Amino acid sequence: MARALLAGAMLAAFSPASWAASAPPVKVPGADVVLMAGAVSGTTADAGIELKLAPGWKTYWRYPGDSGVPPTLDWSGSENVARVEMEWPAPKRFADGGGGFSIGYKGAVLFPLKVELKDKDKPARLSLAFDFAVCEALCMPARADLSIALGGDAGAEGTRISAARAALPVERPLGVAEPTSVQKVELDASATPPRLVIEVKAQNPKADLFAEGPDRWALPLPQKTMLPDGAARFELPLDGIPAGTDPSGTPLTLTLVDGPKAIVTTVPVPKLPPR
């Protein structure tokens, strides 16, 4: 009898009547954090993390720029979840108050999640320990612990997750003939340190470019010069690379944010001349 009651309670915990498409928000100074569930298809589920930042507050992208702390996510408390991939909306550049620039988000941002289930026929729960930083005049660490069952009616939350995913930066090859594109990447070896000169096409005069290398690289933010006919040039010093590393041939991820549109182009660092 006791076993039957326990089994019934476990089933009820994952029954459609108990599902909610979003968990109650976790409030931290300067932000509310919400974990939401989307549609499930076979062993794949949609989910999302939404940060609603108070006016004047900000948080950071996966590469925070000259200062800041990227978020870390721990999914180890999840049930029947094999893997979670967080997807990143296009960020913005803003002054960090110390003469440099940070990369991140203001207002509200929704990070879509791709969730791979271990078994499509068993209940699944997504649990997250989310460590991040929020900043107004000063930055402070924040922690949100969130959990939600997967597999219910996603409703409006599912629609919002799909819309956020549709707005993510899209991959484009170098030199593609499109109005938002990275056209050319060249090496200026005469500079100290050597720098990359990156030419782009953009439709918005406030278009911006962000560059990421391997994990231990700390590249500066590219500096922009406007050119005629919707073109722009960004100069990226090859600084912040671990000592003794030859960057030649290393893939760089370039994210070009052009108003509501954003693209990602991966290029190898041109070969540096011997010293």
Side-chain angles (χ1 to χ4, degrees):
M1 177 69 72
R3 290 181 179 177
L5 290 172
L6 179 59
M10 291 176 66
L11 287 172
F14 289 102
S15 67
S18 72
W19 271 313
S22 62
V26 173
K27 295 182 178 293
V28 301
D32 290 351
V33 189
V34 177
L35 182 63
M36 58 182 68
V40 177
S41 177
T43 58
T44 302
D46 276 347
I49 305 167
E50 184 175 38
L51 269 69
K52 298 178 180 178
L53 295 152
W57 289 72
K58 62 191 177 189
T59 193
Y60 294 104
W61 193 42
R62 62 186 178 227
Y63 179 60
D66 295 331
S67 61
V69 181
T72 61
L73 302 94
D74 181 359
W75 303 102
S76 60
S78 301
E79 302 170 29
N80 190 27
V81 170
R83 190 174 68 89
V84 182
E85 178 187 350
M86 181 166 164
E87 300 175 288
W88 297 83
K92 296 180 180 179
R93 175 192 309 226
F94 32 73
D96 63 7
F101 292 91
S102 297
I103 310 171
Y105 307 95
K106 294 182 178 181
V109 57
L110 198 164
F111 301 93
L113 304 170
K114 290 182 179 178
V115 184
E116 181 183 337
L117 306 181
K118 295 178 181 177
D119 189 332
K120 65 181 180 64
D121 297 320
K122 292 182 178 180
R125 176 167 287 275
L126 197 59
S127 295
L128 168 63
F130 186 37
D131 289 285
F132 59 108
V134 286
C135 307
E136 190 184 30
L138 298 174
C139 287
M140 62 185 70
R143 167 74 176 255
D145 293 295
L146 307 118
S147 183
I148 194 168
L150 303 174
D153 181 5
E157 280 80 358
T159 301
R160 294 183 62 222
I161 293 167
S162 296
R165 180 168 286 121
L168 292 172
V170 295
E171 293 186 8
R172 289 292 184 265
L174 180 69
V176 66
E178 294 184 5
T180 300
S181 55
V182 178
Q183 288 295 305
K184 187 187 300 183
V185 178
E186 295 182 334
L187 176 69
D188 178 3
S190 66
T192 304
R195 63 186 177 185
L196 298 183
V197 179
I198 304 163
E199 293 190 7
V200 308
K201 286 184 178 179
Q203 301 178 76
N204 190 311
K206 295 184 178 180
D208 209 347
L209 184 77
F210 307 104
E212 300 168 89
D215 286 344
R216 293 189 301 117
W217 287 22
L219 294 172
L221 275 74
Q223 299 303 306
K224 179 181 176 183
T225 301
M226 290 301 299
L227 300 174
D229 301 323
R233 177 189 296 119
F234 290 86
E235 295 182 356
L236 173 65
L238 290 175
D239 201 4
I241 299 171
T245 300
D246 180 1
S248 300
T250 302
L252 283 186
T253 301
L254 304 176
T255 300
L256 174 61
V257 181
D258 186 16
K261 184 177 178 61
I263 66 165
V264 174
T265 300
T266 302
V267 296
V269 175
K271 184 173 179 58
L272 270 65
R275 295 183 178 181

